[in-house]
Amino acid sequence: MTEDRISSTHPQIPPTTEEARLLRLRLLRSRRVGATTFHRLMTEYGTAEAALEALPGIARSAGVARYSATSHQDAERELKDGCATGARPIFFGEPEYPALLADIPDAPPMLWAQGQVDLLHKPTIAVIGARNASSLGLRMAARLSKELGEAGFTIVSGLARGIDAAAHAAALETGTIAVYAGGLSRPYPAQNLSLAGDIATQGLCLSEQPPAMEPRARHFPARNRIISGLTRAVVVVEAASKSGSLLTARIALDQGRDVLAVPGHPFDARAAGANILIRDGATLVRGAEDVLEVLTTLPLPAQQQAVPADIPADPAPRRDRNLRETAALHSEILGRLGPSPLSEDQLVRDLSLSPQKLTPALLDLEVSGKITRLSGGLLCKN
């Protein structure tokens, strides 16, 4: 098996053969390999084939015996099942992959896309909010989405009840993107099944999960970073003080996106999160004009520069590490981490280590399941 050689630095050269896509999908679907680990492995080994060959050794050094990567047959099955639903895979680095999303540190290595893929390259804005939205909130979300759509913006949201559904429905004619938490053949919630079908026909449905994957709790924060990552700005219409919409807004800020919010009555718990965002500096939104005023000051995303596929680069060599030193470093890292998330930058400072020395150890611990990487460069101990 061979894969096109890629540069050991971002951006990755896109896979140009079906075999190369299968290898990347095998790597991505292998046990304990998420988006961040995938990119680290590609950076360190240069090709998916080399990373797959190294995975069992990495697992052994981290104390995981009998590790095996996802099989060729399983990867072929996912590609076949996904294409049978009318969806298509878009791999990181390919021309169809959205440029804004490619810039976030934990960009999905592959997306399943069903519908109008050209929407990925039009100006986008996210409209999100509460599931148990008020009548006024639903009307505001619909009005904003309709007017922003008419102004040339594609509306991105998460297909949830309430504000998300109102935003999608109002933007069907002008363009909307629904980001799924689970696979594309598992729209959630069930009450939005008809809306999901309309979006797949008139707009675009996206997911980083296998097509048949049932949505689970851990998938929703991962979905949220795609919603904000696809867009130049995020508008929160209604959100409780502890909600997924507020989490999406925080992720958006970490990604360098603008956050805007519609104010609500202080006594309405559904408006508490939006009011908190405004207090903390989010732009107050009274109507589409306020959003457009902010958007016109933001630069349009530069398209990804194509990297010539005929200029191979040697993969970055994996560093030999003394086992005793590695075990000591693992212990020191785990001693610094706990259940509360800590940023990788802070860990570098706490341990007085260079990122080049810390990265392989974090990779070992991720693959062994001893730590989890969260959005925004955060780490926590399992």
Side-chain angles (χ1 to χ4, degrees), residues 134-182:
S134 68
S135 176
L136 185 60
L138 293 173
R139 293 202 304 273
M140 185 64 169
R143 180 177 174 182
L144 281 173
S145 299
K146 182 176 185 298
E147 293 181 357
L148 290 170
E150 291 171 348
F153 288 88
T154 297
I155 302 301
V156 180
S157 202
L159 198 65
R161 291 185 295 113
I163 298 299
D164 289 22
H168 285 308
L172 271 174
E173 292 185 6
T174 54
T176 187
I177 298 174
V179 185
Y180 286 27

Short mmCIF file of all heavy atoms in Angstrom, two decimals, residues 134-182:
data_model
loop_
_atom_site.label_atom_id
_atom_site.label_comp_id
_atom_site.label_asym_id
_atom_site.label_seq_id
_atom_site.Cartn_x
_atom_site.Cartn_y
_atom_site.Cartn_z
N SER A 134 -38.12 30.63 23.23
CA SER A 134 -39.38 31.36 23.32
C SER A 134 -39.92 31.66 21.93
O SER A 134 -39.18 31.59 20.93
CB SER A 134 -39.18 32.67 24.09
OG SER A 134 -38.36 33.56 23.33
N SER A 135 -41.19 32.04 21.87
CA SER A 135 -41.78 32.42 20.58
C SER A 135 -41.04 33.61 19.98
O SER A 135 -40.77 33.65 18.77
CB SER A 135 -43.26 32.75 20.78
OG SER A 135 -43.84 33.20 19.57
N LEU A 136 -40.69 34.57 20.82
CA LEU A 136 -39.96 35.74 20.34
C LEU A 136 -38.58 35.35 19.82
O LEU A 136 -38.11 35.86 18.79
CB LEU A 136 -39.82 36.77 21.47
CG LEU A 136 -39.18 38.11 21.11
CD1 LEU A 136 -40.00 38.82 20.03
CD2 LEU A 136 -39.03 38.99 22.34
N GLY A 137 -37.91 34.43 20.54
CA GLY A 137 -36.59 33.97 20.10
C GLY A 137 -36.64 33.26 18.76
O GLY A 137 -35.78 33.46 17.90
N LEU A 138 -37.68 32.43 18.57
CA LEU A 138 -37.84 31.73 17.29
C LEU A 138 -38.06 32.70 16.15
O LEU A 138 -37.49 32.55 15.07
CB LEU A 138 -38.99 30.73 17.38
CG LEU A 138 -38.80 29.54 18.32
CD1 LEU A 138 -40.09 28.74 18.44
CD2 LEU A 138 -37.67 28.64 17.84
N ARG A 139 -38.88 33.72 16.38
CA ARG A 139 -39.13 34.72 15.34
C ARG A 139 -37.86 35.50 15.02
O ARG A 139 -37.59 35.82 13.86
CB ARG A 139 -40.25 35.67 15.79
CG ARG A 139 -41.61 35.00 15.89
CD ARG A 139 -42.74 36.03 15.80
NE ARG A 139 -42.63 37.08 16.79
CZ ARG A 139 -43.12 37.01 18.03
NH1 ARG A 139 -43.75 35.91 18.43
NH2 ARG A 139 -43.02 38.04 18.86
N MET A 140 -37.08 35.82 16.06
CA MET A 140 -35.84 36.56 15.85
C MET A 140 -34.85 35.73 15.04
O MET A 140 -34.19 36.23 14.12
CB MET A 140 -35.23 36.95 17.19
CG MET A 140 -34.00 37.83 17.08
SD MET A 140 -34.39 39.43 16.33
CE MET A 140 -32.88 40.34 16.65
N ALA A 141 -34.71 34.44 15.38
CA ALA A 141 -33.78 33.57 14.65
C ALA A 141 -34.18 33.45 13.18
O ALA A 141 -33.33 33.50 12.29
CB ALA A 141 -33.75 32.18 15.30
N ALA A 142 -35.48 33.29 12.95
CA ALA A 142 -35.96 33.17 11.57
C ALA A 142 -35.73 34.46 10.79
O ALA A 142 -35.28 34.43 9.64
CB ALA A 142 -37.44 32.80 11.57
N ARG A 143 -36.02 35.59 11.41
CA ARG A 143 -35.86 36.87 10.72
C ARG A 143 -34.38 37.14 10.41
O ARG A 143 -34.03 37.55 9.30
CB ARG A 143 -36.42 37.99 11.58
CG ARG A 143 -36.30 39.38 10.95
CD ARG A 143 -36.94 40.42 11.82
NE ARG A 143 -36.72 41.77 11.31
CZ ARG A 143 -37.14 42.87 11.89
NH1 ARG A 143 -37.84 42.80 13.02
NH2 ARG A 143 -36.89 44.05 11.38
N LEU A 144 -33.52 36.92 11.40
CA LEU A 144 -32.08 37.13 11.18
C LEU A 144 -31.58 36.24 10.04
O LEU A 144 -30.86 36.70 9.15
CB LEU A 144 -31.30 36.82 12.45
CG LEU A 144 -31.26 37.88 13.55
CD1 LEU A 144 -30.57 37.31 14.79
CD2 LEU A 144 -30.54 39.13 13.08
N SER A 145 -31.95 34.97 10.07
CA SER A 145 -31.44 34.01 9.09
C SER A 145 -31.94 34.35 7.69
O SER A 145 -31.20 34.26 6.72
CB SER A 145 -31.86 32.59 9.48
OG SER A 145 -31.32 32.25 10.73
N LYS A 146 -33.21 34.74 7.60
CA LYS A 146 -33.77 35.09 6.29
C LYS A 146 -33.06 36.32 5.72
O LYS A 146 -32.64 36.33 4.55
CB LYS A 146 -35.26 35.35 6.42
CG LYS A 146 -35.97 35.68 5.09
CD LYS A 146 -37.47 35.83 5.31
CE LYS A 146 -38.21 36.03 3.99
NZ LYS A 146 -37.78 37.26 3.29
N GLU A 147 -32.90 37.35 6.54
CA GLU A 147 -32.30 38.59 6.04
C GLU A 147 -30.81 38.44 5.78
O GLU A 147 -30.29 38.99 4.80
CB GLU A 147 -32.56 39.71 7.05
CG GLU A 147 -34.05 40.08 7.14
CD GLU A 147 -34.33 41.21 8.11
OE1 GLU A 147 -33.38 41.69 8.78
OE2 GLU A 147 -35.50 41.61 8.23
N LEU A 148 -30.10 37.67 6.60
CA LEU A 148 -28.68 37.42 6.35
C LEU A 148 -28.50 36.56 5.11
O LEU A 148 -27.56 36.76 4.33
CB LEU A 148 -28.03 36.76 7.56
CG LEU A 148 -27.89 37.65 8.80
CD1 LEU A 148 -27.46 36.82 10.02
CD2 LEU A 148 -26.88 38.77 8.56
N GLY A 149 -29.41 35.61 4.91
CA GLY A 149 -29.36 34.80 3.69
C GLY A 149 -29.58 35.64 2.45
O GLY A 149 -28.89 35.48 1.44
N GLU A 150 -30.53 36.54 2.52
CA GLU A 150 -30.79 37.43 1.39
C GLU A 150 -29.63 38.37 1.12
O GLU A 150 -29.44 38.85 -0.01
CB GLU A 150 -32.07 38.22 1.65
CG GLU A 150 -33.33 37.35 1.61
CD GLU A 150 -34.58 38.09 2.07
OE1 GLU A 150 -34.42 39.20 2.65
OE2 GLU A 150 -35.68 37.56 1.88
N ALA A 151 -28.81 38.62 2.17
CA ALA A 151 -27.63 39.47 2.01
C ALA A 151 -26.43 38.70 1.48
O ALA A 151 -25.34 39.27 1.31
CB ALA A 151 -27.28 40.13 3.34
N GLY A 152 -26.61 37.38 1.24
CA GLY A 152 -25.54 36.60 0.63
C GLY A 152 -24.80 35.66 1.56
O GLY A 152 -23.80 35.05 1.16
N PHE A 153 -25.28 35.49 2.80
CA PHE A 153 -24.59 34.62 3.75
C PHE A 153 -25.31 33.28 3.89
O PHE A 153 -26.54 33.21 3.94
CB PHE A 153 -24.50 35.29 5.13
CG PHE A 153 -23.53 36.44 5.16
CD1 PHE A 153 -23.93 37.72 4.83
CD2 PHE A 153 -22.20 36.22 5.48
CE1 PHE A 153 -23.04 38.77 4.82
CE2 PHE A 153 -21.29 37.26 5.48
CZ PHE A 153 -21.71 38.55 5.15
N THR A 154 -24.51 32.21 3.95
CA THR A 154 -25.03 30.88 4.23
C THR A 154 -25.15 30.72 5.74
O THR A 154 -24.22 31.03 6.48
CB THR A 154 -24.10 29.81 3.64
OG1 THR A 154 -24.07 29.93 2.22
CG2 THR A 154 -24.57 28.41 4.01
N ILE A 155 -26.30 30.21 6.19
CA ILE A 155 -26.55 30.06 7.63
C ILE A 155 -26.14 28.66 8.08
O ILE A 155 -26.60 27.66 7.52
CB ILE A 155 -28.03 30.30 7.96
CG1 ILE A 155 -28.46 31.70 7.48
CG2 ILE A 155 -28.29 30.13 9.45
CD1 ILE A 155 -27.69 32.84 8.09
N VAL A 156 -25.29 28.61 9.10
CA VAL A 156 -24.81 27.34 9.66
C VAL A 156 -25.41 27.14 11.04
O VAL A 156 -25.45 28.08 11.84
CB VAL A 156 -23.27 27.34 9.77
CG1 VAL A 156 -22.77 26.01 10.35
CG2 VAL A 156 -22.63 27.61 8.41
N SER A 157 -25.89 25.92 11.32
CA SER A 157 -26.41 25.62 12.64
C SER A 157 -26.34 24.11 12.88
O SER A 157 -25.81 23.38 12.04
CB SER A 157 -27.84 26.15 12.81
OG SER A 157 -28.16 26.33 14.17
N GLY A 158 -26.89 23.65 14.01
CA GLY A 158 -26.68 22.27 14.42
C GLY A 158 -27.87 21.35 14.36
O GLY A 158 -27.83 20.26 14.93
N LEU A 159 -28.96 21.76 13.69
CA LEU A 159 -30.15 20.93 13.48
C LEU A 159 -30.89 20.60 14.78
O LEU A 159 -31.72 19.70 14.81
CB LEU A 159 -29.80 19.63 12.72
CG LEU A 159 -30.96 18.89 12.06
CD1 LEU A 159 -31.59 19.69 10.95
CD2 LEU A 159 -30.52 17.52 11.55
N ALA A 160 -30.59 21.28 15.87
CA ALA A 160 -31.28 21.01 17.13
C ALA A 160 -32.69 21.59 17.09
O ALA A 160 -33.05 22.36 16.19
CB ALA A 160 -30.50 21.61 18.29
N ARG A 161 -33.49 21.25 18.09
CA ARG A 161 -34.81 21.86 18.23
C ARG A 161 -34.65 23.36 18.49
O ARG A 161 -33.60 23.83 18.86
CB ARG A 161 -35.56 21.24 19.40
CG ARG A 161 -35.98 19.80 19.18
CD ARG A 161 -36.83 19.30 20.35
NE ARG A 161 -36.06 19.24 21.59
CZ ARG A 161 -36.27 20.00 22.64
NH1 ARG A 161 -37.20 20.95 22.61
NH2 ARG A 161 -35.54 19.87 23.74
N GLY A 162 -35.72 24.10 18.33
CA GLY A 162 -35.72 25.50 18.72
C GLY A 162 -35.04 26.42 17.73
O GLY A 162 -35.35 26.44 16.54
N ILE A 163 -34.05 27.19 18.24
CA ILE A 163 -33.40 28.22 17.43
C ILE A 163 -32.73 27.64 16.19
O ILE A 163 -32.85 28.19 15.09
CB ILE A 163 -32.37 28.99 18.27
CG1 ILE A 163 -33.05 29.71 19.44
CG2 ILE A 163 -31.58 29.97 17.41
CD1 ILE A 163 -34.07 30.75 19.05
N ASP A 164 -32.00 26.52 16.34
CA ASP A 164 -31.31 25.91 15.20
C ASP A 164 -32.29 25.61 14.07
O ASP A 164 -32.07 25.96 12.90
CB ASP A 164 -30.61 24.62 15.60
CG ASP A 164 -29.39 24.85 16.47
OD1 ASP A 164 -29.31 25.91 17.10
OD2 ASP A 164 -28.53 23.95 16.54
N ALA A 165 -33.40 24.93 14.42
CA ALA A 165 -34.38 24.53 13.41
C ALA A 165 -35.00 25.76 12.74
O ALA A 165 -35.20 25.77 11.52
CB ALA A 165 -35.46 23.66 14.05
N ALA A 166 -35.30 26.79 13.53
CA ALA A 166 -35.88 28.01 12.96
C ALA A 166 -34.91 28.68 11.99
O ALA A 166 -35.31 29.17 10.93
CB ALA A 166 -36.25 28.97 14.09
N ALA A 167 -33.64 28.70 12.35
CA ALA A 167 -32.62 29.31 11.48
C ALA A 167 -32.50 28.54 10.17
O ALA A 167 -32.46 29.14 9.08
CB ALA A 167 -31.28 29.35 12.21
N HIS A 168 -32.41 27.20 10.24
CA HIS A 168 -32.31 26.39 9.02
C HIS A 168 -33.51 26.60 8.11
O HIS A 168 -33.36 26.81 6.90
CB HIS A 168 -32.22 24.91 9.39
CG HIS A 168 -30.91 24.48 9.94
ND1 HIS A 168 -29.71 24.74 9.31
CD2 HIS A 168 -30.59 23.78 11.07
CE1 HIS A 168 -28.72 24.22 10.02
NE2 HIS A 168 -29.23 23.64 11.09
N ALA A 169 -34.72 26.52 8.70
CA ALA A 169 -35.94 26.60 7.90
C ALA A 169 -36.04 27.94 7.18
O ALA A 169 -36.45 28.01 6.01
CB ALA A 169 -37.16 26.38 8.79
N ALA A 170 -35.64 29.02 7.85
CA ALA A 170 -35.75 30.35 7.25
C ALA A 170 -34.72 30.57 6.15
O ALA A 170 -34.91 31.44 5.30
CB ALA A 170 -35.58 31.41 8.34
N ALA A 171 -33.64 29.78 6.16
CA ALA A 171 -32.56 29.99 5.19
C ALA A 171 -32.51 28.92 4.10
O ALA A 171 -31.55 28.87 3.33
CB ALA A 171 -31.22 30.03 5.93
N LEU A 172 -33.55 28.08 4.02
CA LEU A 172 -33.52 27.01 3.03
C LEU A 172 -33.37 27.54 1.61
O LEU A 172 -32.63 26.97 0.80
CB LEU A 172 -34.80 26.17 3.13
CG LEU A 172 -34.78 24.98 4.09
CD1 LEU A 172 -36.17 24.36 4.18
CD2 LEU A 172 -33.76 23.94 3.66
N GLU A 173 -34.05 28.62 1.30
CA GLU A 173 -34.02 29.12 -0.07
C GLU A 173 -32.70 29.81 -0.42
O GLU A 173 -32.28 29.81 -1.58
CB GLU A 173 -35.18 30.10 -0.29
CG GLU A 173 -36.54 29.43 -0.27
CD GLU A 173 -37.65 30.41 -0.61
OE1 GLU A 173 -37.34 31.56 -0.97
OE2 GLU A 173 -38.83 30.01 -0.54
N THR A 174 -32.03 30.38 0.58
CA THR A 174 -30.80 31.13 0.32
C THR A 174 -29.53 30.33 0.60
O THR A 174 -28.47 30.69 0.12
CB THR A 174 -30.77 32.42 1.15
OG1 THR A 174 -30.96 32.09 2.54
CG2 THR A 174 -31.87 33.37 0.72
N GLY A 175 -29.65 29.25 1.38
CA GLY A 175 -28.49 28.41 1.65
C GLY A 175 -28.27 28.18 3.14
O GLY A 175 -28.10 29.15 3.89
N THR A 176 -28.26 26.93 3.55
CA THR A 176 -28.02 26.61 4.96
C THR A 176 -27.22 25.32 5.07
O THR A 176 -27.35 24.42 4.23
CB THR A 176 -29.34 26.50 5.74
OG1 THR A 176 -29.05 26.34 7.13
CG2 THR A 176 -30.18 25.33 5.27
N ILE A 177 -26.40 25.22 6.10
CA ILE A 177 -25.57 24.04 6.36
C ILE A 177 -25.92 23.51 7.75
O ILE A 177 -25.86 24.25 8.74
CB ILE A 177 -24.06 24.37 6.31
CG1 ILE A 177 -23.67 24.87 4.92
CG2 ILE A 177 -23.23 23.15 6.70
CD1 ILE A 177 -22.23 25.36 4.83
N ALA A 178 -26.30 22.24 7.82
CA ALA A 178 -26.59 21.58 9.09
C ALA A 178 -25.42 20.67 9.45
O ALA A 178 -25.04 19.81 8.66
CB ALA A 178 -27.88 20.76 8.99
N VAL A 179 -24.86 20.88 10.63
CA VAL A 179 -23.75 20.04 11.10
C VAL A 179 -24.31 19.02 12.09
O VAL A 179 -24.88 19.39 13.12
CB VAL A 179 -22.65 20.89 11.78
CG1 VAL A 179 -21.47 20.00 12.15
CG2 VAL A 179 -22.19 22.01 10.85
N TYR A 180 -24.17 17.75 11.75
CA TYR A 180 -24.72 16.67 12.58
C TYR A 180 -23.75 16.31 13.70
O TYR A 180 -22.53 16.34 13.51
CB TYR A 180 -24.95 15.42 11.74
CG TYR A 180 -26.13 15.44 10.81
CD1 TYR A 180 -26.64 16.62 10.29
CD2 TYR A 180 -26.75 14.25 10.44
CE1 TYR A 180 -27.72 16.61 9.43
CE2 TYR A 180 -27.84 14.22 9.58
CZ TYR A 180 -28.31 15.42 9.07
OH TYR A 180 -29.38 15.41 8.21
N ALA A 181 -24.31 15.87 14.83
CA ALA A 181 -23.47 15.30 15.89
C ALA A 181 -23.14 13.85 15.57
O ALA A 181 -22.02 13.39 15.80
CB ALA A 181 -24.19 15.40 17.23
N GLY A 182 -24.11 13.11 15.05
CA GLY A 182 -23.88 11.73 14.65
C GLY A 182 -23.66 11.63 13.15
O GLY A 182 -23.29 12.60 12.49
#
